[in-house]
Amino acid sequence: MKVEVTDVSTVKKILAIEIPNERVTRELNNAYKTLKKTAKLKGFRPGKAPRAVLENFYRKDVHADVGNTLLQESFPEAIKEADLSIVGTPEIDADDIDEKAPFTYKATVEIRPDMPTIAYEGLELTKNLYPVTDKDMDAQLNMIQKNLTTLEPI
């Protein structure tokens, strides 16, 4: 698996991920094998339909399932390989699966920024104390009563 990282900004990266053709072919073969066991087609006994017939009926579904499987398996591997600490959900732009070509997709991710250490020890803070009088308390309580009052008929 090839992973290329392109910097868009300090916190945004684009990963171009390419999965080899052998892995794509293997996943497609496994998907068609499992489909063959459960597919019910007119004119064929369960489990006896040829792959060409299965491809005619279920090609889009199988390719979508295999694409999702390859994305879910390869994306965490690519993140580990690129040594990125992502934040949030990635935006993934995937191509269609071709049996004779590698599967490629791009993922735009946001990463944690590098924060410099700040010398906060030894800083002095001032604490402002605001005196509260009984008049202020009564005013706040009256405002809360006014806001939460409801009129109900008796």
Side-chain angles (χ1 to χ4, degrees):
M1 179 171 69
K2 291 182 189 176
V3 179
E4 294 179 17
V5 179
T6 306
D7 293 339
V8 176
S9 68
T10 57
V11 294
K12 198 170 202 178
K13 310 285 184 204
I14 296 178
L15 299 171
I17 302 166
E18 181 178 310
I19 300 171
N21 185 27
E22 298 83 32
R23 186 171 172 186
V24 174
T25 306
R26 184 175 60 239
E27 289 292 330
L28 282 171
N29 289 338
N30 290 340
Y32 280 116
K33 280 182 188 177
T34 57
L35 177 65
K36 185 176 186 177
K37 294 175 186 174
T38 59
K40 294 183 181 179
L41 297 172
K42 286 187 177 183
F44 296 99
R45 291 180 292 163
K48 300 296 181 182
R51 180 172 171 164
V53 174
L54 291 174
E55 286 179 359
N56 285 339
F57 282 100
Y58 299 108
R59 182 182 187 90
K60 282 186 178 180
D61 295 333
V62 170
H63 282 230
D65 289 343
V66 169
N68 286 335
T69 303
L70 289 173
L71 281 171
Q72 290 174 358
E73 290 176 358
S74 66
F75 186 71
E77 293 174 18
I79 294 297
K80 285 181 185 176
E81 187 176 318
D83 194 30
L84 297 175
S85 175
I86 66 168
V87 177
T89 56
E91 295 176 19
I92 296 177
D93 180 28
D95 297 335
D96 292 333
I97 290 183
D98 185 10
E99 298 171 8
K100 298 177 177 83
F103 178 60
T104 58
Y105 64 95
K106 291 186 178 186
T108 305
V109 296
E110 292 183 5
I111 62 169
R112 289 197 172 131
D114 291 333
M115 298 293 287
T117 56
I118 300 171
Y120 60 88
E121 295 178 4
L123 293 177
E124 292 185 21
L125 299 176
T126 58
K127 185 175 183 180
N128 296 329
L129 297 175
Y130 298 102
V132 179
T133 62
D134 288 338
K135 186 177 178 183
D136 295 333
M137 290 288 287
D138 289 337
Q140 287 295 320
L141 288 173
N142 287 334
M143 186 179 70
I144 292 172
Q145 282 178 336
K146 187 176 179 182
N147 289 337
L148 298 178
T149 301
T150 58
L151 294 176
E152 295 180 11
I154 298 177

